[in-house]
Amino acid sequence: MSEQESQFLLILFGGIFFAFLMSLFVVAMVVLHRQRQMQNRQKIEHLKSEHEKTLLNVENEIQQETLSQIGRELHDNIGQLLSLIKLSLNSAKPERQQEAKGYVSQVITEVRALSKTLNLDWVASLSLDDFIREQLKRIEATGFCQASLESDQSFLELKKEEKFVLIRVIQECLSNALKHAQPDHITIRIAHNGSIRTIEIKDDGKGFDTTQKYSGSGMHNLANRMKTIGGKFKLTSVVGKGTLVSLELPF
């Protein structure tokens, strides 16, 4: 075999080997790409499942909070009114019986309000600002502390799931402030800066050390809930100087 033929065969076999390697590379890239697609689909399905589970948990918690609120109202408010009606009707004085009629009207009004609360459709019909005002009104009615709202109404347009999550996170933040902070005043401020809307929940209570492990789990849960609607949860607190929670959500 001549030298020229040897070189030709070498080039031929080299080309075949190179083509084989390229084929293997292409096949490997296709397989890898499909694996990544499968992994991405699995991740998306997992995220969707977690998102739906979070929203379901939030809705269940709102229902439980609503039922607890109704129980308190029945015991503390309506129960007291019914007791007054009973005492007034047992009296022989006409003016006391007239008072009973007024109490009956109050009971009817309270029962109607509670019946609306049982239906979670109020979440769709009530604006976030109105919900916060109602919550702060209840806090002030207890005499526990003063409460105020400042709003530019930038959260008026919300999807139902966004409103559900924000309502539950705000409820939890207010509950934490009342249970642990012992504040004289709670302020909620709603504003926007460019494409970001922010809800700030501030109290002038005891504050706490945010580096402590015991303070992290509940905050982590609230942060995860904000993530499900594309938002952010931020918390700053100083011992003796109060706590500030910021909830951010893009338009």
Side-chain angles (χ1 to χ4, degrees), residues 65-236:
E65 181 71 21
T66 299
L67 291 174
S68 297
Q69 174 197 330
I70 289 172
R72 290 192 297 268
E73 289 291 328
L74 288 172
H75 181 271
D76 300 336
N77 192 11
I78 294 178
Q80 184 181 17
L81 288 171
L82 290 174
S83 297
L84 291 172
I85 290 171
K86 181 180 178 181
L87 291 172
S88 298
L89 291 176
N90 286 335
S91 174
K93 297 179 179 180
E95 60 270 20
R96 294 297 302 276
Q97 294 183 359
Q98 188 65 31
E99 287 179 1
K101 293 181 180 179
Y103 292 140
V104 169
S105 297
Q106 289 184 46
V107 169
I108 292 172
T109 301
E110 293 292 338
V111 169
R112 284 175 176 169
L114 286 177
S115 67
K116 291 180 181 179
T117 305
L118 279 170
N119 188 348
L120 279 183
D121 287 343
W122 62 267
V123 173
S125 61
L126 190 71
S127 73
L128 190 66
D129 283 23
D130 289 338
F131 164 78
I132 293 173
R133 287 191 188 94
E134 185 65 28
Q135 294 295 303
L136 298 183
K137 181 180 177 182
R138 287 175 182 162
I139 290 173
E140 286 200 320
T142 64
F144 187 84
C145 70
Q146 296 296 309
S148 59
L149 170 66
E150 303 172 13
S151 175
D152 66 356
Q153 300 184 330
S154 55
F155 279 82
L156 290 182
E157 297 296 328
L158 287 170
K159 298 176 183 177
K160 184 178 179 180
E161 59 267 24
E162 292 174 338
K163 194 184 297 185
F164 259 78
V165 170
L166 287 171
I167 281 175
R168 190 61 191 128
V169 171
I170 291 168
Q171 281 181 329
E172 188 68 21
C173 291
L174 291 175
S175 178
N176 287 338
L178 295 176
K179 286 180 182 177
H180 307 298
Q182 298 179 359
D184 294 321
H185 200 285
I186 294 175
T187 302
I188 296 182
R189 182 174 178 267
I190 296 176
H192 74 280
N193 183 12
S195 62
I196 300 297
R197 295 172 286 180
T198 305
I199 300 173
E200 291 184 346
I201 305 169
K202 184 178 181 180
D203 70 67
D204 59 358
K206 296 189 300 181
F208 62 96
D209 184 356
T210 56
T211 63
Q212 292 295 316
K213 188 176 181 180
Y214 69 84
S215 67
S217 59
M219 301 301 105
H220 182 70
N221 182 40
L222 296 179
N224 282 341
R225 293 193 167 184
M226 287 300 297
K227 284 182 182 178
T228 64
I229 58 173
K232 293 181 180 179
F233 176 94
K234 298 179 181 179
L235 181 143
T236 55

